[in-house]
Short mmCIF file of all heavy atoms in Angstrom, two decimals:
data_model
loop_
_atom_site.label_atom_id
_atom_site.label_comp_id
_atom_site.label_asym_id
_atom_site.label_seq_id
_atom_site.Cartn_x
_atom_site.Cartn_y
_atom_site.Cartn_z
N MET A 1 0.85 -1.18 0.00
CA MET A 1 0.00 0.00 0.00
C MET A 1 0.90 1.24 0.00
O MET A 1 1.90 1.29 0.68
CB MET A 1 -0.90 -0.03 1.23
CG MET A 1 -1.86 1.14 1.28
SD MET A 1 -2.95 1.15 2.73
CE MET A 1 -3.99 -0.23 2.36
N SER A 2 0.50 2.25 -0.75
CA SER A 2 1.30 3.47 -0.83
C SER A 2 1.08 4.35 0.40
O SER A 2 0.07 4.23 1.10
CB SER A 2 0.94 4.25 -2.09
OG SER A 2 -0.34 4.82 -1.96
N ILE A 3 2.02 5.22 0.65
CA ILE A 3 1.95 6.12 1.81
C ILE A 3 0.71 7.00 1.75
O ILE A 3 0.07 7.25 2.76
CB ILE A 3 3.25 6.95 1.96
CG1 ILE A 3 3.27 7.70 3.28
CG2 ILE A 3 3.42 7.92 0.82
CD1 ILE A 3 3.49 6.81 4.47
N ILE A 4 0.34 7.46 0.56
CA ILE A 4 -0.83 8.34 0.45
C ILE A 4 -2.11 7.59 0.81
O ILE A 4 -2.97 8.14 1.50
CB ILE A 4 -0.92 9.02 -0.94
CG1 ILE A 4 -1.96 10.14 -0.90
CG2 ILE A 4 -1.24 8.03 -2.03
CD1 ILE A 4 -1.90 11.09 -2.06
N ASN A 5 -2.24 6.34 0.41
CA ASN A 5 -3.43 5.57 0.75
C ASN A 5 -3.50 5.26 2.24
O ASN A 5 -4.57 5.32 2.85
CB ASN A 5 -3.50 4.29 -0.07
CG ASN A 5 -3.80 4.56 -1.52
OD1 ASN A 5 -4.43 5.55 -1.86
ND2 ASN A 5 -3.33 3.70 -2.40
N GLU A 6 -2.36 4.93 2.83
CA GLU A 6 -2.33 4.68 4.26
C GLU A 6 -2.71 5.93 5.04
O GLU A 6 -3.48 5.87 6.00
CB GLU A 6 -0.95 4.19 4.69
CG GLU A 6 -0.66 2.78 4.24
CD GLU A 6 0.63 2.25 4.81
OE1 GLU A 6 0.86 2.38 6.03
OE2 GLU A 6 1.41 1.70 4.03
N LEU A 7 -2.15 7.07 4.63
CA LEU A 7 -2.45 8.32 5.32
C LEU A 7 -3.91 8.72 5.14
O LEU A 7 -4.54 9.20 6.08
CB LEU A 7 -1.52 9.44 4.85
CG LEU A 7 -1.62 10.74 5.61
CD1 LEU A 7 -1.38 10.55 7.10
CD2 LEU A 7 -0.65 11.77 5.05
N LYS A 8 -4.47 8.50 3.97
CA LYS A 8 -5.89 8.82 3.74
C LYS A 8 -6.79 8.02 4.67
O LYS A 8 -7.77 8.55 5.19
CB LYS A 8 -6.27 8.56 2.28
CG LYS A 8 -5.84 9.64 1.33
CD LYS A 8 -6.29 9.33 -0.08
CE LYS A 8 -5.89 10.42 -1.05
NZ LYS A 8 -6.34 10.12 -2.42
N LYS A 9 -6.45 6.75 4.89
CA LYS A 9 -7.24 5.93 5.81
C LYS A 9 -7.16 6.50 7.23
O LYS A 9 -8.17 6.59 7.93
CB LYS A 9 -6.74 4.49 5.78
CG LYS A 9 -7.16 3.74 4.54
CD LYS A 9 -6.55 2.35 4.46
CE LYS A 9 -7.01 1.49 5.62
NZ LYS A 9 -6.48 0.11 5.54
N ILE A 10 -5.98 6.90 7.64
CA ILE A 10 -5.81 7.47 8.98
C ILE A 10 -6.55 8.78 9.10
O ILE A 10 -7.22 9.05 10.11
CB ILE A 10 -4.31 7.64 9.32
CG1 ILE A 10 -3.66 6.26 9.46
CG2 ILE A 10 -4.13 8.46 10.59
CD1 ILE A 10 -2.15 6.29 9.55
N LEU A 11 -6.47 9.63 8.07
CA LEU A 11 -7.17 10.91 8.09
C LEU A 11 -8.67 10.70 8.25
O LEU A 11 -9.33 11.45 8.99
CB LEU A 11 -6.87 11.72 6.82
CG LEU A 11 -5.45 12.28 6.71
CD1 LEU A 11 -5.23 12.88 5.33
CD2 LEU A 11 -5.18 13.30 7.79
N LEU A 12 -9.22 9.71 7.58
CA LEU A 12 -10.65 9.40 7.74
C LEU A 12 -10.95 8.95 9.16
O LEU A 12 -11.96 9.35 9.74
CB LEU A 12 -11.08 8.32 6.75
CG LEU A 12 -11.27 8.74 5.30
CD1 LEU A 12 -11.52 7.53 4.42
CD2 LEU A 12 -12.41 9.74 5.17
N ASP A 13 -10.07 8.13 9.72
CA ASP A 13 -10.28 7.63 11.08
C ASP A 13 -10.29 8.75 12.12
O ASP A 13 -11.04 8.68 13.09
CB ASP A 13 -9.19 6.62 11.46
CG ASP A 13 -9.35 5.28 10.75
OD1 ASP A 13 -10.44 5.02 10.19
OD2 ASP A 13 -8.38 4.50 10.75
N VAL A 14 -9.45 9.75 11.93
CA VAL A 14 -9.35 10.84 12.92
C VAL A 14 -10.14 12.08 12.51
O VAL A 14 -10.09 13.09 13.20
CB VAL A 14 -7.88 11.20 13.22
CG1 VAL A 14 -7.15 10.03 13.83
CG2 VAL A 14 -7.17 11.72 12.00
N ASN A 15 -10.86 11.97 11.38
CA ASN A 15 -11.73 13.06 10.91
C ASN A 15 -10.96 14.37 10.68
O ASN A 15 -11.35 15.44 11.15
CB ASN A 15 -12.90 13.28 11.89
CG ASN A 15 -14.02 14.07 11.24
OD1 ASN A 15 -14.23 14.01 10.03
ND2 ASN A 15 -14.76 14.80 12.05
N VAL A 16 -9.86 14.26 9.96
CA VAL A 16 -9.04 15.41 9.59
C VAL A 16 -8.86 15.36 8.07
O VAL A 16 -8.66 14.29 7.51
CB VAL A 16 -7.65 15.36 10.28
CG1 VAL A 16 -6.72 16.45 9.77
CG2 VAL A 16 -7.80 15.46 11.79
N ASN A 17 -8.96 16.52 7.42
CA ASN A 17 -8.73 16.52 5.97
C ASN A 17 -7.30 17.01 5.68
O ASN A 17 -6.59 17.48 6.56
CB ASN A 17 -9.79 17.34 5.22
CG ASN A 17 -9.78 18.81 5.58
OD1 ASN A 17 -8.73 19.42 5.69
ND2 ASN A 17 -10.96 19.39 5.75
N LEU A 18 -6.90 16.86 4.43
CA LEU A 18 -5.54 17.19 4.03
C LEU A 18 -5.21 18.67 4.22
O LEU A 18 -4.09 19.03 4.59
CB LEU A 18 -5.31 16.77 2.57
CG LEU A 18 -3.91 16.38 2.16
CD1 LEU A 18 -3.32 15.34 3.08
CD2 LEU A 18 -3.89 15.89 0.74
N THR A 19 -6.20 19.53 4.02
CA THR A 19 -6.00 20.97 4.23
C THR A 19 -5.69 21.26 5.70
O THR A 19 -4.77 22.02 6.01
CB THR A 19 -7.23 21.76 3.77
OG1 THR A 19 -7.45 21.50 2.38
CG2 THR A 19 -7.04 23.26 3.97
N GLU A 20 -6.47 20.66 6.59
CA GLU A 20 -6.23 20.85 8.03
C GLU A 20 -4.86 20.29 8.43
O GLU A 20 -4.16 20.91 9.24
CB GLU A 20 -7.33 20.16 8.83
CG GLU A 20 -8.69 20.81 8.66
CD GLU A 20 -9.82 19.95 9.20
OE1 GLU A 20 -9.71 18.71 9.19
OE2 GLU A 20 -10.84 20.55 9.62
N LEU A 21 -4.50 19.16 7.86
CA LEU A 21 -3.20 18.58 8.15
C LEU A 21 -2.07 19.49 7.67
O LEU A 21 -1.10 19.72 8.38
CB LEU A 21 -3.07 17.20 7.51
CG LEU A 21 -1.75 16.48 7.73
CD1 LEU A 21 -1.45 16.28 9.21
CD2 LEU A 21 -1.75 15.15 7.00
N ALA A 22 -2.22 20.05 6.48
CA ALA A 22 -1.21 20.97 5.94
C ALA A 22 -1.07 22.20 6.83
O ALA A 22 0.05 22.67 7.09
CB ALA A 22 -1.57 21.38 4.51
N GLN A 23 -2.19 22.71 7.33
CA GLN A 23 -2.15 23.88 8.22
C GLN A 23 -1.43 23.54 9.53
O GLN A 23 -0.61 24.33 10.02
CB GLN A 23 -3.56 24.38 8.51
CG GLN A 23 -4.23 25.01 7.32
CD GLN A 23 -5.72 25.28 7.52
OE1 GLN A 23 -6.33 24.77 8.47
NE2 GLN A 23 -6.30 26.05 6.62
N ALA A 24 -1.73 22.38 10.09
CA ALA A 24 -1.07 21.96 11.34
C ALA A 24 0.42 21.74 11.12
O ALA A 24 1.24 22.10 11.97
CB ALA A 24 -1.73 20.69 11.87
N LEU A 25 0.77 21.18 9.98
CA LEU A 25 2.18 20.96 9.64
C LEU A 25 2.90 22.30 9.48
O LEU A 25 4.05 22.44 9.94
CB LEU A 25 2.26 20.15 8.35
CG LEU A 25 3.51 19.37 8.03
CD1 LEU A 25 3.94 18.47 9.17
CD2 LEU A 25 3.31 18.57 6.76
N SER A 26 2.25 23.26 8.89
CA SER A 26 2.82 24.61 8.75
C SER A 26 3.14 25.21 10.11
O SER A 26 4.20 25.80 10.31
CB SER A 26 1.85 25.54 8.02
OG SER A 26 1.72 25.19 6.68
N LYS A 27 2.22 25.05 11.05
CA LYS A 27 2.43 25.60 12.39
C LYS A 27 3.58 24.89 13.10
O LYS A 27 4.43 25.53 13.71
CB LYS A 27 1.16 25.45 13.24
CG LYS A 27 0.13 26.48 12.97
CD LYS A 27 -1.03 26.33 13.94
CE LYS A 27 -2.03 27.44 13.73
NZ LYS A 27 -3.16 27.33 14.68
N LYS A 28 3.62 23.56 13.01
CA LYS A 28 4.66 22.79 13.71
C LYS A 28 6.05 23.07 13.15
O LYS A 28 7.02 23.14 13.90
CB LYS A 28 4.39 21.30 13.58
CG LYS A 28 3.31 20.79 14.49
CD LYS A 28 3.93 20.19 15.71
CE LYS A 28 2.85 19.45 16.49
NZ LYS A 28 3.35 18.92 17.73
N LEU A 29 6.16 23.20 11.83
CA LEU A 29 7.47 23.38 11.20
C LEU A 29 7.80 24.83 10.89
O LEU A 29 8.88 25.14 10.42
CB LEU A 29 7.55 22.54 9.91
CG LEU A 29 7.52 21.04 10.13
CD1 LEU A 29 7.48 20.31 8.80
CD2 LEU A 29 8.74 20.60 10.92
N ASN A 30 6.84 25.71 11.14
CA ASN A 30 7.02 27.14 10.91
C ASN A 30 7.47 27.43 9.47
O ASN A 30 8.38 28.22 9.23
CB ASN A 30 8.02 27.72 11.92
CG ASN A 30 7.87 29.23 12.02
OD1 ASN A 30 6.81 29.78 11.76
ND2 ASN A 30 8.95 29.89 12.38
N LYS A 31 6.83 26.74 8.53
CA LYS A 31 7.06 27.00 7.12
C LYS A 31 5.78 26.66 6.37
O LYS A 31 4.99 25.83 6.84
CB LYS A 31 8.27 26.23 6.58
CG LYS A 31 8.14 24.75 6.45
CD LYS A 31 9.45 24.14 5.99
CE LYS A 31 9.22 23.19 4.84
NZ LYS A 31 10.43 22.51 4.40
N PRO A 32 5.56 27.30 5.25
CA PRO A 32 4.27 27.14 4.57
C PRO A 32 4.10 25.76 3.91
O PRO A 32 5.00 25.26 3.24
CB PRO A 32 4.27 28.23 3.51
CG PRO A 32 5.71 28.55 3.28
CD PRO A 32 6.42 28.27 4.57
N TYR A 33 2.96 25.15 4.19
CA TYR A 33 2.54 23.93 3.52
C TYR A 33 1.12 24.18 3.02
O TYR A 33 0.27 24.63 3.77
CB TYR A 33 2.48 22.74 4.49
CG TYR A 33 3.79 22.08 4.73
CD1 TYR A 33 4.66 22.54 5.70
CD2 TYR A 33 4.17 20.96 4.00
CE1 TYR A 33 5.87 21.93 5.94
CE2 TYR A 33 5.39 20.34 4.22
CZ TYR A 33 6.23 20.82 5.19
OH TYR A 33 7.42 20.21 5.41
N SER A 34 0.89 23.88 1.77
CA SER A 34 -0.46 23.94 1.24
C SER A 34 -0.97 22.51 1.07
O SER A 34 -0.20 21.55 1.08
CB SER A 34 -0.49 24.65 -0.11
OG SER A 34 0.19 23.88 -1.08
N MET A 35 -2.26 22.37 0.93
CA MET A 35 -2.84 21.07 0.68
C MET A 35 -2.25 20.47 -0.58
O MET A 35 -1.90 19.30 -0.62
CB MET A 35 -4.37 21.18 0.56
CG MET A 35 -5.09 19.85 0.43
SD MET A 35 -5.19 19.13 -1.22
CE MET A 35 -6.03 20.39 -2.10
N GLN A 36 -2.08 21.31 -1.61
CA GLN A 36 -1.53 20.83 -2.88
C GLN A 36 -0.07 20.38 -2.73
O GLN A 36 0.32 19.33 -3.25
CB GLN A 36 -1.64 21.92 -3.95
CG GLN A 36 -1.29 21.45 -5.34
CD GLN A 36 -2.24 20.37 -5.83
OE1 GLN A 36 -3.44 20.49 -5.68
NE2 GLN A 36 -1.70 19.31 -6.40
N ASN A 37 0.71 21.16 -2.00
CA ASN A 37 2.11 20.81 -1.77
C ASN A 37 2.23 19.48 -1.03
O ASN A 37 3.00 18.60 -1.41
CB ASN A 37 2.78 21.94 -0.98
CG ASN A 37 4.17 21.60 -0.53
OD1 ASN A 37 4.35 21.12 0.58
ND2 ASN A 37 5.15 21.86 -1.38
N LEU A 38 1.44 19.33 0.02
CA LEU A 38 1.46 18.10 0.80
C LEU A 38 0.98 16.92 -0.03
O LEU A 38 1.58 15.85 -0.02
CB LEU A 38 0.61 18.26 2.06
CG LEU A 38 0.58 17.09 3.03
CD1 LEU A 38 1.98 16.69 3.45
CD2 LEU A 38 -0.27 17.44 4.23
N SER A 39 -0.07 17.13 -0.79
CA SER A 39 -0.60 16.08 -1.66
C SER A 39 0.44 15.63 -2.67
O SER A 39 0.62 14.43 -2.91
CB SER A 39 -1.86 16.59 -2.37
OG SER A 39 -2.38 15.60 -3.21
N ASN A 40 1.15 16.58 -3.27
CA ASN A 40 2.20 16.25 -4.24
C ASN A 40 3.33 15.46 -3.60
O ASN A 40 3.83 14.50 -4.18
CB ASN A 40 2.76 17.51 -4.89
CG ASN A 40 1.80 18.14 -5.87
OD1 ASN A 40 0.87 17.50 -6.35
ND2 ASN A 40 2.00 19.40 -6.15
N LYS A 41 3.75 15.86 -2.39
CA LYS A 41 4.81 15.14 -1.70
C LYS A 41 4.40 13.70 -1.42
O LYS A 41 5.19 12.78 -1.55
CB LYS A 41 5.15 15.83 -0.37
CG LYS A 41 6.00 17.05 -0.52
CD LYS A 41 6.31 17.63 0.85
CE LYS A 41 7.37 18.68 0.74
NZ LYS A 41 8.49 18.44 1.63
N LEU A 42 3.15 13.51 -1.03
CA LEU A 42 2.67 12.17 -0.76
C LEU A 42 2.55 11.35 -2.03
O LEU A 42 2.96 10.20 -2.08
CB LEU A 42 1.32 12.24 -0.04
CG LEU A 42 1.36 12.80 1.38
CD1 LEU A 42 -0.04 13.15 1.86
CD2 LEU A 42 2.02 11.80 2.31
N ARG A 43 1.98 11.94 -3.06
CA ARG A 43 1.79 11.24 -4.33
C ARG A 43 3.13 10.85 -4.95
O ARG A 43 3.30 9.74 -5.47
CB ARG A 43 0.98 12.09 -5.31
CG ARG A 43 0.57 11.34 -6.56
CD ARG A 43 -0.29 12.13 -7.53
NE ARG A 43 -1.19 13.11 -6.97
CZ ARG A 43 -0.95 14.43 -6.91
NH1 ARG A 43 0.17 14.93 -7.38
NH2 ARG A 43 -1.82 15.26 -6.38
N ASN A 44 4.10 11.75 -4.89
CA ASN A 44 5.41 11.50 -5.49
C ASN A 44 6.36 10.75 -4.55
O ASN A 44 7.50 10.46 -4.92
CB ASN A 44 6.07 12.83 -5.90
CG ASN A 44 5.28 13.54 -6.97
OD1 ASN A 44 4.64 12.90 -7.80
ND2 ASN A 44 5.31 14.86 -6.95
N GLU A 45 5.88 10.49 -3.35
CA GLU A 45 6.66 9.82 -2.32
C GLU A 45 7.99 10.53 -2.06
O GLU A 45 9.05 9.91 -1.94
CB GLU A 45 6.86 8.34 -2.66
CG GLU A 45 5.54 7.58 -2.68
CD GLU A 45 5.69 6.10 -2.93
OE1 GLU A 45 6.81 5.62 -3.19
OE2 GLU A 45 4.66 5.42 -2.85
N THR A 46 7.90 11.86 -1.94
CA THR A 46 9.08 12.67 -1.64
C THR A 46 9.00 13.29 -0.25
O THR A 46 9.82 14.15 0.09
CB THR A 46 9.25 13.79 -2.69
OG1 THR A 46 8.07 14.60 -2.72
CG2 THR A 46 9.53 13.22 -4.07
N ILE A 47 8.06 12.85 0.54
CA ILE A 47 7.91 13.38 1.89
C ILE A 47 9.05 12.83 2.75
O ILE A 47 9.48 11.69 2.58
CB ILE A 47 6.52 13.03 2.47
CG1 ILE A 47 6.25 13.84 3.71
CG2 ILE A 47 6.37 11.55 2.70
CD1 ILE A 47 4.81 14.11 3.96
N THR A 48 9.56 13.65 3.64
CA THR A 48 10.71 13.23 4.45
C THR A 48 10.25 12.43 5.67
O THR A 48 9.10 12.50 6.09
CB THR A 48 11.52 14.44 4.94
OG1 THR A 48 10.72 15.20 5.85
CG2 THR A 48 11.98 15.32 3.77
N HIS A 49 11.19 11.70 6.22
CA HIS A 49 10.92 10.94 7.43
C HIS A 49 10.51 11.88 8.56
O HIS A 49 9.57 11.61 9.31
CB HIS A 49 12.17 10.13 7.81
CG HIS A 49 11.96 9.25 8.99
ND1 HIS A 49 12.48 9.55 10.21
CD2 HIS A 49 11.29 8.08 9.12
CE1 HIS A 49 12.13 8.59 11.07
NE2 HIS A 49 11.41 7.70 10.42
N ARG A 50 11.20 13.00 8.68
CA ARG A 50 10.87 13.99 9.72
C ARG A 50 9.45 14.50 9.56
O ARG A 50 8.71 14.62 10.55
CB ARG A 50 11.86 15.16 9.64
CG ARG A 50 11.58 16.25 10.65
CD ARG A 50 12.68 17.32 10.62
NE ARG A 50 12.39 18.35 11.60
CZ ARG A 50 12.05 19.60 11.28
NH1 ARG A 50 12.00 19.98 10.03
NH2 ARG A 50 11.80 20.48 12.22
N GLU A 51 9.05 14.80 8.33
CA GLU A 51 7.68 15.26 8.09
C GLU A 51 6.67 14.18 8.48
O GLU A 51 5.64 14.48 9.08
CB GLU A 51 7.49 15.64 6.62
CG GLU A 51 8.21 16.91 6.24
CD GLU A 51 8.27 17.12 4.73
OE1 GLU A 51 8.38 16.13 3.98
OE2 GLU A 51 8.22 18.29 4.31
N MET A 52 6.97 12.92 8.17
CA MET A 52 6.05 11.84 8.52
C MET A 52 5.95 11.65 10.03
O MET A 52 4.87 11.37 10.55
CB MET A 52 6.47 10.54 7.84
CG MET A 52 6.10 10.47 6.38
SD MET A 52 4.34 10.80 6.03
CE MET A 52 3.54 9.50 6.99
N ILE A 53 7.05 11.82 10.74
CA ILE A 53 7.01 11.72 12.21
C ILE A 53 6.12 12.82 12.77
O ILE A 53 5.31 12.57 13.67
CB ILE A 53 8.43 11.79 12.81
CG1 ILE A 53 9.18 10.50 12.49
CG2 ILE A 53 8.40 12.05 14.31
CD1 ILE A 53 10.64 10.50 12.88
N ILE A 54 6.24 14.02 12.24
CA ILE A 54 5.43 15.14 12.72
C ILE A 54 3.96 14.94 12.36
O ILE A 54 3.07 15.20 13.16
CB ILE A 54 5.99 16.48 12.19
CG1 ILE A 54 7.37 16.72 12.82
CG2 ILE A 54 5.04 17.63 12.48
CD1 ILE A 54 8.16 17.84 12.20
N ILE A 55 3.70 14.45 11.15
CA ILE A 55 2.32 14.16 10.74
C ILE A 55 1.71 13.12 11.68
O ILE A 55 0.57 13.27 12.15
CB ILE A 55 2.27 13.69 9.27
CG1 ILE A 55 2.52 14.89 8.35
CG2 ILE A 55 0.94 13.02 8.96
CD1 ILE A 55 2.72 14.52 6.89
N ALA A 56 2.45 12.07 11.97
CA ALA A 56 1.96 11.04 12.88
C ALA A 56 1.64 11.64 14.24
O ALA A 56 0.59 11.36 14.83
CB ALA A 56 3.00 9.92 13.02
N ASP A 57 2.52 12.50 14.73
CA ASP A 57 2.30 13.16 16.01
C ASP A 57 1.04 14.03 15.98
O ASP A 57 0.23 13.97 16.90
CB ASP A 57 3.52 14.01 16.38
CG ASP A 57 3.36 14.68 17.73
OD1 ASP A 57 3.18 13.95 18.73
OD2 ASP A 57 3.41 15.92 17.78
N ILE A 58 0.86 14.80 14.93
CA ILE A 58 -0.33 15.65 14.78
C ILE A 58 -1.60 14.80 14.85
O ILE A 58 -2.59 15.20 15.46
CB ILE A 58 -0.27 16.44 13.45
CG1 ILE A 58 0.80 17.52 13.52
CG2 ILE A 58 -1.63 17.05 13.11
CD1 ILE A 58 1.14 18.15 12.17
N LEU A 59 -1.56 13.63 14.24
CA LEU A 59 -2.74 12.78 14.15
C LEU A 59 -2.90 11.84 15.36
O LEU A 59 -3.86 11.08 15.43
CB LEU A 59 -2.69 11.96 12.86
CG LEU A 59 -2.69 12.79 11.57
CD1 LEU A 59 -2.52 11.89 10.36
CD2 LEU A 59 -3.95 13.64 11.46
N GLY A 60 -1.94 11.91 16.29
CA GLY A 60 -2.04 11.09 17.49
C GLY A 60 -1.50 9.69 17.31
O GLY A 60 -1.93 8.75 17.98
N TYR A 61 -0.56 9.53 16.41
CA TYR A 61 0.05 8.23 16.12
C TYR A 61 1.54 8.29 16.39
O TYR A 61 2.13 9.36 16.46
CB TYR A 61 -0.16 7.84 14.65
CG TYR A 61 -1.56 7.36 14.34
CD1 TYR A 61 -2.61 8.25 14.22
CD2 TYR A 61 -1.81 6.00 14.15
CE1 TYR A 61 -3.90 7.81 13.94
CE2 TYR A 61 -3.09 5.56 13.86
CZ TYR A 61 -4.13 6.47 13.75
OH TYR A 61 -5.39 6.02 13.48
N ASP A 62 2.15 7.11 16.51
CA ASP A 62 3.60 6.98 16.58
C ASP A 62 4.06 6.34 15.28
O ASP A 62 3.39 5.45 14.75
CB ASP A 62 4.03 6.08 17.74
CG ASP A 62 3.82 6.75 19.08
OD1 ASP A 62 4.09 7.96 19.19
OD2 ASP A 62 3.38 6.05 20.01
N LEU A 63 5.18 6.78 14.81
CA LEU A 63 5.79 6.20 13.62
C LEU A 63 7.06 5.52 14.08
O LEU A 63 7.93 6.15 14.68
CB LEU A 63 6.11 7.29 12.60
CG LEU A 63 6.61 6.86 11.25
CD1 LEU A 63 5.52 6.09 10.49
CD2 LEU A 63 7.04 8.06 10.43
N LYS A 64 7.13 4.20 13.87
CA LYS A 64 8.32 3.49 14.33
C LYS A 64 8.58 2.29 13.44
O LYS A 64 7.72 1.81 12.72
CB LYS A 64 8.16 3.05 15.78
CG LYS A 64 7.02 2.10 16.02
CD LYS A 64 6.90 1.77 17.49
CE LYS A 64 5.67 0.90 17.74
NZ LYS A 64 5.53 0.57 19.14
N PHE A 65 9.82 1.85 13.50
CA PHE A 65 10.22 0.65 12.78
C PHE A 65 9.99 -0.55 13.68
O PHE A 65 10.35 -0.53 14.85
CB PHE A 65 11.70 0.71 12.39
CG PHE A 65 12.00 1.74 11.35
CD1 PHE A 65 12.50 2.98 11.70
CD2 PHE A 65 11.78 1.46 10.01
CE1 PHE A 65 12.78 3.93 10.74
CE2 PHE A 65 12.05 2.41 9.05
CZ PHE A 65 12.55 3.64 9.41
N VAL A 66 9.38 -1.58 13.13
CA VAL A 66 9.12 -2.80 13.88
C VAL A 66 9.77 -3.96 13.13
O VAL A 66 9.52 -4.14 11.94
CB VAL A 66 7.59 -3.04 14.02
CG1 VAL A 66 7.32 -4.34 14.76
CG2 VAL A 66 6.92 -1.86 14.70
N ARG A 67 10.59 -4.68 13.84
CA ARG A 67 11.29 -5.81 13.23
C ARG A 67 10.29 -6.90 12.87
O ARG A 67 9.43 -7.26 13.67
CB ARG A 67 12.35 -6.35 14.18
CG ARG A 67 13.17 -7.41 13.54
CD ARG A 67 14.28 -7.87 14.44
NE ARG A 67 15.26 -8.50 13.60
CZ ARG A 67 16.52 -8.19 13.56
NH1 ARG A 67 17.00 -7.28 14.36
NH2 ARG A 67 17.34 -8.79 12.74
N ARG A 68 10.42 -7.42 11.66
CA ARG A 68 9.56 -8.51 11.20
C ARG A 68 10.00 -9.82 11.84
O ARG A 68 11.19 -10.02 12.07
CB ARG A 68 9.64 -8.67 9.69
CG ARG A 68 8.93 -7.57 8.95
CD ARG A 68 9.03 -7.84 7.48
NE ARG A 68 9.89 -6.78 6.95
CZ ARG A 68 10.76 -6.90 5.98
NH1 ARG A 68 10.92 -8.04 5.37
NH2 ARG A 68 11.48 -5.88 5.59
N GLU A 69 9.06 -10.68 12.05
CA GLU A 69 9.41 -12.01 12.51
C GLU A 69 9.91 -12.81 11.33
O GLU A 69 9.37 -12.71 10.24
CB GLU A 69 8.20 -12.69 13.13
CG GLU A 69 7.73 -12.05 14.41
CD GLU A 69 6.58 -12.82 15.04
OE1 GLU A 69 6.44 -14.02 14.78
OE2 GLU A 69 5.83 -12.16 15.78
N GLU A 70 10.94 -13.58 11.55
CA GLU A 70 11.49 -14.40 10.48
C GLU A 70 10.57 -15.58 10.21
O GLU A 70 10.01 -16.16 11.13
CB GLU A 70 12.88 -14.90 10.87
CG GLU A 70 13.90 -13.80 10.93
CD GLU A 70 15.27 -14.35 11.20
OE1 GLU A 70 15.58 -15.50 10.80
OE2 GLU A 70 16.05 -13.62 11.84
N LYS A 71 10.44 -15.89 8.93
CA LYS A 71 9.64 -17.07 8.56
C LYS A 71 10.51 -18.29 8.72
O LYS A 71 11.69 -18.29 8.37
CB LYS A 71 9.17 -16.94 7.11
CG LYS A 71 8.17 -15.82 6.93
CD LYS A 71 7.69 -15.77 5.52
CE LYS A 71 6.71 -14.62 5.36
NZ LYS A 71 6.21 -14.53 4.00
N ARG A 72 9.93 -19.33 9.25
CA ARG A 72 10.70 -20.57 9.49
C ARG A 72 10.22 -21.68 8.65
O ARG A 72 9.22 -21.84 8.17
CB ARG A 72 10.60 -20.97 10.95
CG ARG A 72 11.25 -19.91 11.78
CD ARG A 72 11.18 -20.23 13.23
NE ARG A 72 11.78 -19.09 13.91
CZ ARG A 72 11.99 -19.03 15.16
NH1 ARG A 72 11.66 -20.05 15.92
NH2 ARG A 72 12.54 -18.00 15.72
#
């Protein structure tokens, strides 16, 4: 599943739209984000790890690496 589809599912779950997320991201990072800019970053998969950590925080989630169990 792509990052944009995963994020869209989460946005629906927390009742936040992409415009509201872009505004919150602008406040947290103190730089301008538009809905279109954020949408393009997600679609092109050029969003940074730092941005994704902050987005997760805004939405009340944690972003972490989880080791896979080895298949035997």
